[in-house]
Amino acid sequence: MTENAQQEPPAPITELPTQYAPADVEGPLYERWVERGYFEADAGSDKPPYTVVIPPPNVTGSLHLGHAFEHTLIDALTRRKRMQGFETLWQPGMDHAGIATQNVVERELGKEGKSRHDLGREAFIERVWQWKGESGGQISGQMRRLGDGVAWSRERFTMDKGLSTAVQTIFKRLYDDELIYRAERIINWCPRCLTAISDIEVDYQEDDGELVSMKYGEGDDTIVVATTRAETMLGDTAVAVHPDDERYKHLVGKHIRLPLTDRSIPVVADEHVDPEFGTGAVKVTPAHDPNDFEIGRRHDLPAIAVMDEHAVITAHGPFQGLDRLEARSAIVAALRAEGRIVAEKRPYVHSVGHCSRCKTTIEPRLSLQWWVKVSPLAKAAGDAVRDGRVKIHPQEMEKRYFDWVDNLHDWCISRQLWWGHRIPVWYGPNGEIVCVGPDDEAPTGEGWHQDTDVLDTWFSSGLWPFSTLGWPEQTESLAKFYPNSVLVTGYDILFFWVARMMMFGLYAMDGTPPFHTIALHGMVRDQFGKKMSKSFGNAVNPLDWMDKYGSDALRFTLARGANPGVDVPIGEDWVQGSRNFANKIWNATRFALMNGATVEGPLPDASAMSSTDRWILSRLNSVVAEVDAYYDDFQFAKLSDALFHFAWDEVFDWYVELSKTTFQAGGEPAEVSKRVLGEVLDVTLRLLHPVVPFVTETLWTTLTGGESVVIADWPSDSGFRDADAEREIGTLQSVITEVRRFRADQGLQPGQRVPARLTLDGTALAAHEPAVRQLLRLQPEGESFTATATLPVAGVEVALDLSGVIDVAAERKRLAKDLAAAEKEKAQATAKLGNEAFLAKAPDHVVEKIRTRLAKADEDIARITSQLDRLPGA
C-alpha cells in the first residue's frame, strides 16, 4: 500500500440516498482506490504472492464483451486474494499488435495521400509511436470503468525498452542453442498486408468457389486431378498417387505433359494421397501448398513460385501479370479450349482462410523466413502438464492442449512489417550472419545491414509472465511474483498464446513454468447462443450497458454465466435483472441502517439469539464455505448464483422480513437482531465485493465506517451451525409459502387482510406467530370467526375465514369453467395419443408437444380441483 493509503478514512455516510445511482458512484470510487494504492503490489512484502497477468489487449483495441468477461473473472479472483492477505499483483499492459497497428497508421497516412514508403522506415515508426501516444490505449480508460484492480504503476507495453531487451535476449539464446533458424518454408501470406501471418491471424470461413477437374498427359498416359485453385497449376512439378492404387501403377515413375506449359512432370507415389478421395490423384505445387511442399521434400521436387507478394502471376506466358483470381478464370478457359476440363462444379462451398485484419484471402507461399524449432520446447510444455506442475482447468481441456503441443510444427516468427521488434540479425558483405544480443555491439562497416523483418507479435507476448517483471534482470519483482499463480484466458488461444508462454517460460526460467494453473473460459455469445459479430448485428458495446445499468450489473451478469470452459450467453434482459439485484442490495441495506443494524461490539451469545438469528448465521457460514470452495474451483457461475439466492432470498426476503416484528417490538431481542443483521450484511457485502465492487464499497463503508472493503478481511467460516434452527425456519417458510400460494389461488390481493386462527401452541413455531400474521396479512379471528378453509401444513394448522373476503359463488363458477377447459384439453390430447394411425405419421416433435399438453392438463386439473375443494362450503 502507498503512503496515501495511510490517510484517515473518510467519514462514513450516515444516510444512504433513496436510490442507487451507479454513474454518481463508480468513477469517483475507482479513482480513490487508485490514489490510495490499493491495487499496487510490494515485491518486498512478506505476504504470500498471488500473481495474474492480463492477457495484453491490442493497443488498437477497445473494450468488447469478451474483454469485460475475462477482466471480471480476473478482478474477482484478485480482489478476493487481496482480502485474504496475499500480496496481490494483477499485471496490466498492452500488446503492440504489429499488423493491426501498422494497418491503422497506414490508413491514416492514406488519408493524406501517402504511404509508409513515402516516409521511410524510421519516420514511419516515429509516426506509429506518435499515434500510440495520442490514440492508443483507449482500453485503459474502459478498464477503469469496469473496475479493474490492476497495478497501474507497473503497466507495460510490449515495445517498452525493458521488454525489447527481453525479446533480444531470448532470441539470442535460442539462436545460439540452434533453436532459431532461417529457411524456406510454406507460410500464410496476406497479399494485402504483404506479410507472413500466424495461424491465429487466419479466419476460416465457408466460401463459394469452384472445383475444376482437369486432364494432364496424353493418350494412355492421362490422369485427372481436381483443384479449387486452378491458377497454381502453372507451378505444378508432379502428380501424386497412392503407392497401392492399382489404377495408376503403370504411370508411377513416368513423366506426363503439364498443360499450358512446355514442361513435363513426374507421377510419384506418396502415402499422403487418399486413394478414396476424388480421382485418387493430386496435383503437386510445392511452392504454393503446405502438403505439397512436404511431398516435394520427400521426392526432391523443384518448387516453382508462380505468384509474387501481391498474388500476381509471374510465370512466363499469357497469364503473366494477371491477379490470381483473374488468372484462375483465364486458365480454366484455356484448359476448356484444349478439351482438358473433365468436370466443373460451381458453386463449390469450401473452407478458405482469410486475413483476420483485412479479410483478404490468404495465399500459401514459399518464403525465406525465420523459424523456431519447437520440438524440444513443446515437449517441455507438455511434460509440465503431464507431471502436474501445471494444472489445466477444466481438466477435460488437457486433451486439446496435448493434441496441440504434441504435434506442433516449427513456428514462423518473422513478419514483413516495420512496426515491431526488429530481428536482431546482421548480414555481412561476404555472407556473414551475426545475431546480436542486447549487450553486443552490432557490426558496422560497408555492406553490413540488419534484417528488415520484425518478429511475430506472439513472440514478445509469449514472454509476458516474466518480461513484465524485469527479466532478464533478476529483479525483486521477478523473485516475488514468478511464477504466476493462475492464467485466466479463453480456450480459443490455448494453442497460440498459452502454449508459447509455456515454451518460453520453461526455457528462460530454468524449467519453472510460467503459472501454476491455466483456467480456461468460454466465449461470450448472445442470448440465443450465437457468436457476437458486427456483421450479424448482435455485437454489443459493453460501455452502453454500463452506462445504462451500471458496471456492477454487467459484471454480475457475466460472472453468473461463467462455467469453466463453456461459452457464455448474455442478453440485455439479464443485465437489467442484475441491476435489479444491485438495487435490492441497496434498498435492503438502507432499511437495515434505518432500523439500527450495527457491527459494533461482539456478536451476542447464541443463547441470547432467537431461532431466526441462529438460522441466518448458520446459513451465512455455510455460504462462506460454499463460496470459498467454488472460488478455488473457478466456478464463478455457481458462486454468483449461491450469493444471489442467499442475499436476495434468505437475507432480504426472509430474515429482514421476519425481523421486522422484532424491531417493532423493541427490547433486548431487537438489539440482538440488529447486531445479527449488521453481521450478516457485513459478511454478505464482503462476499459480494469481488464481483460487484462498487455498490458493495458504498454500502460496506456506510454500514461499518471502515476505510474500504477492498482492503477488508475476507470472511471465514466460523464453524457455527444450528441444524435445529435451520429445520425450524424451514418449517416456518413452508407454512408461509403454502398459505401465500392458497391466497393467490383464491384471487386475494397481497395486502388484503383475512381473519385467521393459527394452531401453533406446542410447536416450535409458536414464537413466530406475530411474524406469520404480519407476513401473511392475517387478522385475529374475532368473535364471529368461521373457518371456511383449513390448511394443514408441516404439522401446524391455519384456518381462514373467507366468508366476507371473496364471492364464493363467482369463484366456484370461474374455477368450474377453467376445470372444464382443462378436462377438454386432456380428452383431446388423450385421443390423439391413443390413435395409432396418428402416432405412425406424426413427427416426433409433434407427438412430444401433445404429450406436454396432456401433462399440463393433468397439472391444471389437480390444481383447480384442490382449489374447489378448499372453497368455503365445499
Side-chain angles (χ1 to χ4, degrees):
M1 197 181 301
T2 65
E3 291 182 6
N4 283 341
Q6 307 303 320
Q7 297 173 358
E8 286 297 315
I13 302 170
T14 55
E15 186 176 344
L16 289 169
T18 55
Q19 290 185 324
Y20 176 49
D24 296 339
V25 170
E26 293 174 353
L29 268 188
Y30 188 84
E31 291 309 314
R32 189 169 72 186
W33 291 335
V34 172
E35 288 168 7
R36 295 184 173 190
Y38 293 156
F39 304 140
E40 297 302 324
D42 180 5
S45 163
D46 58 2
K47 296 179 183 178
Y50 187 82
T51 316
V52 185
V53 294
I54 192 172
N58 288 353
V59 67
T60 59
S62 61
L63 194 72
H64 56 64
L65 273 179
H67 287 125
F69 173 55
E70 186 168 79
H71 290 201
T72 294
L73 305 188
I74 300 174
D75 197 40
L77 289 175
T78 52
R79 283 178 182 270
R80 172 177 175 254
K81 285 295 182 181
R82 190 177 293 112
M83 295 171 75
Q84 286 182 315
F86 286 77
E87 194 61 46
T88 302
L89 169 60
W90 183 10
Q91 173 66 54
M94 286 180 291
D95 193 286
H96 65 278
I99 296 176
T101 306
Q102 181 156 318
N103 281 348
V104 167
V105 178
E106 285 196 84
R107 281 196 297 270
E108 292 297 314
L109 283 174
K111 295 175 183 177
E112 303 171 17
K114 297 178 182 178
S115 74
R116 60 182 165 120
H117 300 285
D118 294 324
L119 271 67
R121 184 166 192 144
E122 289 188 11
F124 176 76
I125 292 173
E126 185 177 333
R127 180 70 175 260
V128 179
W129 278 108
Q130 179 184 340
W131 174 88
K132 191 258 181 186
E134 295 172 357
S135 307
Q138 176 184 349
I139 203 165
S140 295
Q142 296 167 333
M143 287 167 61
R144 292 171 180 264
R145 282 289 314 275
L146 190 65
D148 287 2
V150 299
W152 286 113
S153 69
R154 292 172 173 265
E155 186 176 14
R156 304 304 298 269
F157 180 54
T158 51
M159 290 284 285
D160 284 349
K161 182 178 179 181
L163 272 66
S164 296
T165 298
V167 167
Q168 198 171 350
T169 299
I170 202 163
F171 187 100
K172 171 70 171 171
R173 291 187 187 179
L174 289 164
Y175 181 86
D176 290 345
D177 287 342
E178 299 182 350
L179 293 172
I180 282 183
Y181 63 94
R182 196 179 189 218
E184 276 196 321
R185 297 281 188 276
I186 295 287
I187 45 89
N188 300 310
W189 181 265
C190 176
R192 156 61 182 79
C193 298
L194 298 179
T195 180
I197 65 174
S198 68
D199 291 338
I200 197 172
E201 292 162 327
V202 179
D203 290 338
Y204 287 91
Q205 63 186 49
E206 297 295 309
D207 283 0
D208 287 344
E210 60 181 354
L211 180 67
V212 179
S213 298
M214 47 197 181
K215 183 169 59 177
Y216 288 8
E218 307 291 348
D220 293 337
D221 292 344
T222 60
I223 194 166
V224 175
V225 298
T227 183
T228 58
R229 301 165 66 221
E231 68 278 10
T232 63
M233 61 87 59
L234 300 174
D236 287 357
T237 56
V239 172
V241 298
H242 193 274
D244 298 331
D245 196 331
E246 294 293 335
R247 294 172 294 177
Y248 302 119
K249 279 198 171 181
H250 68 289
L251 288 176
V252 173
K254 287 188 175 182
H255 281 66
I256 60 174
R257 178 178 170 244
L258 178 66
L260 308 183
T261 72
D262 57 1
R263 293 189 291 116
S264 63
I265 57 176
V267 177
V268 299
D270 195 277
E271 296 277 354
H272 169 75
V273 179
D274 180 2
E276 303 298 324
F277 184 77
T279 64
V282 297
K283 59 191 286 298
V284 182
T285 321
H288 293 280
D289 183 275
N291 294 322
D292 294 2
F293 178 78
E294 295 302 325
I295 294 175
R297 291 178 67 177
R298 287 193 289 271
H299 298 276
D300 199 25
L301 300 173
I304 302 174
V306 296
M307 276 180 265
D308 67 11
E309 60 185 4
H310 297 280
V312 171
I313 300 297
T314 57
H316 291 295
F319 312 108
Q320 187 175 8
L322 294 179
D323 172 79
R324 56 183 165 169
L325 298 181
E326 296 172 331
R328 183 177 300 171
S329 299
I331 287 170
V332 171
L335 289 168
R336 190 183 299 114
E338 286 192 5
R340 291 189 173 274
I341 298 298
V342 176
E344 297 178 71
K345 185 175 181 181
R346 296 189 187 89
Y348 178 72
V349 179
H350 62 134
S351 181
V352 178
H354 296 260
C355 174
S356 63
R357 304 299 176 190
C358 68
K359 310 309 176 187
T360 302
T361 300
I362 290 301
E363 190 64 44
R365 184 170 187 252
L366 184 64
S367 182
L368 182 62
Q369 302 283 346
W370 285 94
W371 303 81
V372 172
K373 182 180 179 181
V374 300
S375 54
L377 303 173
K379 182 181 183 304
D383 290 346
V385 174
R386 286 190 170 95
D387 63 25
R389 283 176 289 158
V390 177
K391 305 287 185 186
I392 293 181
H393 192 280
Q395 191 174 2
E396 54 265 28
M397 288 286 182
E398 281 187 4
K399 183 180 183 302
R400 297 179 67 176
Y401 177 79
F402 292 135
D403 286 346
W404 181 258
V405 298
D406 294 346
N407 298 285
L408 269 178
H409 300 296
D410 285 0
W411 171 21
C412 176
I413 55 171
S414 45
R415 300 290 180 266
Q416 290 64 56
L417 303 170
W418 287 358
W419 173 244
H421 296 283
R422 193 166 175 180
I423 289 176
V425 171
W426 271 255
Y427 304 102
N430 300 310
E432 303 96 332
I433 300 178
V434 176
C435 181
V436 176
D439 299 323
D440 301 331
E441 290 289 334
T444 57
E446 187 176 350
W448 283 93
H449 64 281
Q450 187 178 358
D451 196 302
T452 56
D453 288 353
V454 300
L455 288 163
D456 177 12
T457 296
W458 296 99
F459 191 94
S460 51
S461 61
L463 314 181
W464 193 247
F466 51 94
S467 63
T468 52
L469 298 173
W471 187 90
E473 297 297 322
Q474 297 305 304
T475 64
E476 190 178 27
S477 289
L478 188 65
K480 178 76 173 181
F481 296 114
Y482 187 92
N484 293 183
S485 305
V486 61
L487 174 74
V488 179
T489 192
Y491 63 69
D492 58 324
I493 57 173
L494 171 63
F495 317 128
F496 306 104
W497 186 46
V498 179
R500 280 148 175 68
M501 286 191 290
M502 286 285 283
M503 291 191 295
F504 281 165
L506 289 159
Y507 174 79
M509 300 300 292
D510 300 320
T512 302
F515 16 74
H516 297 301
T517 302
I518 302 167
L520 298 170
H521 59 72
M523 305 295 102
V524 177
R525 297 181 178 272
D526 71 13
Q527 59 189 315
F528 306 108
K530 191 174 181 180
K531 180 180 177 181
M532 285 193 171
S533 166
K534 289 181 180 178
S535 60
F536 295 156
N538 63 351
V540 174
N541 182 346
L543 292 177
D544 293 341
W545 282 352
M546 287 192 278
D547 288 343
K548 195 170 182 180
Y549 303 111
S551 299
D552 284 333
L554 177 63
R555 289 171 60 116
F556 193 72
T557 305
L558 291 167
R560 205 173 177 193
N563 291 296
V566 178
D567 288 346
V568 182
I570 184 173
E572 185 169 1
D573 288 350
W574 305 342
V575 185
Q576 185 174 353
S578 295
R579 188 271 314 274
N580 295 343
F581 178 51
N583 288 343
K584 184 79 170 181
I585 302 169
W586 182 272
N587 292 333
T589 305
R590 185 169 178 270
F591 166 84
L593 289 168
M594 291 171 61
N595 282 273
T598 180
V599 297
E600 294 297 323
L603 273 174
D605 189 79
S607 61
M609 296 180 189
S610 67
S611 57
T612 309
D613 295 331
R614 296 195 306 275
W615 160 72
I616 198 63
L617 289 175
S618 181
R619 288 293 305 127
L620 177 67
N621 280 285
S622 294
V623 169
V624 169
E626 189 179 0
V627 167
D628 274 333
Y630 286 144
Y631 262 117
D632 292 341
D633 199 35
F634 304 101
Q635 297 280 358
F636 296 98
K638 290 182 178 179
L639 72 89
S640 299
D641 215 44
L643 287 170
F644 174 87
H645 287 294
F646 175 71
W648 192 307
D649 300 344
E650 298 186 81
V651 178
F652 306 149
D653 280 358
W654 283 109
Y655 182 72
V656 168
E657 292 301 320
L658 288 171
S659 299
K660 284 181 178 178
T661 53
T662 306
F663 293 154
Q664 289 168 0
E668 185 61 24
E671 296 307 309
V672 170
S673 291
K674 290 175 184 178
R675 179 64 188 89
V676 170
L677 179 54
E679 181 75 10
V680 171
L681 287 174
D682 171 19
V683 173
T684 302
L685 291 170
R686 283 186 280 151
L687 288 173
L688 282 165
H689 173 73
V691 182
V692 284
F694 293 107
V695 67
T696 51
E697 170 80 342
T698 304
L699 296 176
W700 187 86
T701 53
T702 304
L703 172 71
T704 68
E707 180 182 344
S708 172
V709 71
V710 176
I711 54 172
D713 290 338
W714 179 253
S716 58
D717 176 7
S718 71
F720 176 79
R721 301 290 191 278
D722 192 322
D724 291 338
E726 290 198 35
R727 277 192 296 271
E728 180 179 321
I729 301 304
T731 302
L732 178 64
Q733 290 171 327
S734 297
V735 170
I736 292 173
T737 301
E738 184 60 26
V739 176
R740 280 175 172 167
R741 184 181 297 118
F742 175 76
R743 287 176 57 108
D745 287 344
Q746 303 308 315
L748 298 178
Q749 295 300 314
Q752 193 169 359
R753 294 197 166 274
V754 178
R757 178 188 300 128
L758 306 183
T759 309
L760 304 178
D761 291 343
T763 73
L765 301 188
H768 298 286
E769 181 166 345
V772 172
R773 287 191 176 276
Q774 179 163 316
L775 290 173
L776 292 174
R777 303 295 189 268
L778 302 179
Q779 293 175 299
E781 53 265 44
E783 294 181 4
S784 59
F785 178 82
T786 302
T788 59
T790 302
L791 283 73
V793 186
V796 303
E797 191 174 271
V798 179
L800 304 173
D801 182 357
L802 304 178
S803 55
V805 179
I806 63 172
D807 184 337
V808 176
E811 184 65 11
R812 187 178 298 281
K813 186 177 180 180
R814 182 185 70 81
L815 289 173
K817 183 178 179 182
D818 291 346
L819 181 60
E823 288 173 338
K824 181 179 179 181
E825 175 75 2
K826 178 179 180 178
Q828 291 175 342
T830 302
K832 285 190 175 182
L833 293 174
N835 185 332
E836 295 295 335
F838 170 77
L839 293 177
K841 295 179 181 179
D844 290 345
H845 73 275
V846 172
V847 175
E848 185 59 33
K849 185 176 180 180
I850 294 171
R851 287 198 179 106
T852 301
R853 284 169 50 194
L854 177 59
K856 175 68 166 54
D858 281 334
E859 289 176 7
D860 289 345
I861 290 168
R863 176 179 55 79
I864 296 167
T865 302
S866 174
Q867 290 175 242
L868 282 167
D869 290 344
R870 289 176 171 181
L871 281 176

